[in-house]
Amino acid sequence: MADRVHPRDSPPVSAESQPASPQDSSVVPQPIRPPPPEKPVPSPGTYVIKIPKDQVYRVPPAENARRYDQYTRRKHSRSRFCCCCCWLIGLLFIFVVLLGIAAGIFYLVFRPEAPKYSIENIAVRGINVTSPSFDAAISPEFNVTVKADNPNDKIGIYYLKDSSAEVFYNDARLCNGALPAFHQPSNNVTVFGMVLKGNGIELSSEDQRSLVGSQTKRKVPLTVSIRAPVRIKVGSVKTWKITVKVDCDVTVNELTAQAKIVSKRCDYKVDLW
């Protein structure tokens, strides 16, 4: 026999839950909001990528592990290289600073000054521009007197062998020779002579005409070029071999043994290595 089912009593309705009567104008009806979705909806312009769980790796694959090892090794090698470069730059900077300090101390103690050179006299033989045989080859001989002034108080100069001296007219070399080897002490002026000879020198027709014209004007421009290996003595210490380069522009009134210097100017350079 079936049980009798009684209807469930409905709960009492409160005044707030009762719908407002149309006559009550003070109550504003509220819009009905849709229920919130179960899953968040992405904003416009974005994408959601779904990856199956079996493709999500907790441990990287073997090829990725190899790449990671290679990357970490490369990173360590770069760090070592950067460290070595920093050490090298630091040591180089310290060396430059110490070298500058040593140079400053050397300058303050010794006060070095560049030596001065000048041509004091030139005597010429073997060139006669008025001779009919001037068109042929000439063999001139120049006796050149040079003055070397060492104004330093504590520095001496040793002039070594294997030096060279040449005399040019324009670009034509007239003669060549060498300087004598000697020692010049501090605060000393040394005057030495050089005998420079040329053999079978052939001048171009243009140089011949120019030389005759200069002789007529009594202004013959010549260039004396000197290259001398020297050693500088500072106290009891000698430096390595240094090359002194002296180029003098000299103008004489004639190409004879009684030639007189009209004007002169010498430039001085040094090759440290």
Side-chain angles (χ1 to χ4, degrees), residues 9-27:
D9 297 335
S10 59
V13 180
S14 62
E16 295 178 357
S17 61
Q18 291 181 359
S21 61
Q23 288 80 12
D24 192 0
S25 61
S26 61
V27 179

Side-chain angles (χ1 to χ4, degrees), residues 210-225:
S210 176
L211 190 58
V212 171
S214 299
Q215 176 86 358
T216 303
K217 296 177 182 178
R218 301 185 64 80
K219 289 184 179 181
V220 182
L222 301 172
T223 300
V224 181
S225 179

Side-chain angles (χ1 to χ4, degrees), residues 133-147:
S133 61
F134 179 67
D135 295 340
I138 58 177
S139 298
E141 179 179 319
F142 283 69
N143 292 332
V144 182
T145 304
V146 181
K147 182 176 76 172

Side-chain angles (χ1 to χ4, degrees), residues 27-87:
V27 179
V28 179
Q30 298 292 333
I32 300 174
R33 296 180 180 178
E38 297 180 359
K39 298 181 179 179
V41 179
S43 59
T46 59
Y47 299 92
V48 177
I49 300 175
K50 295 182 179 181
I51 301 176
K53 291 183 178 181
D54 56 350
Q55 296 184 9
V56 178
Y57 297 101
R58 294 181 179 272
V59 179
E63 59 272 10
N64 291 350
R66 281 192 228 99
R67 292 178 183 176
Y68 178 76
D69 291 340
Q70 294 176 359
Y71 177 75
T72 53
R73 290 174 187 171
R74 191 180 305 167
K75 188 174 181 181
H76 290 320
S77 63
R78 287 180 181 175
S79 62
R80 291 196 206 99
F81 178 75
C82 293
C83 183
C84 292
C85 287
C86 291
W87 273 101

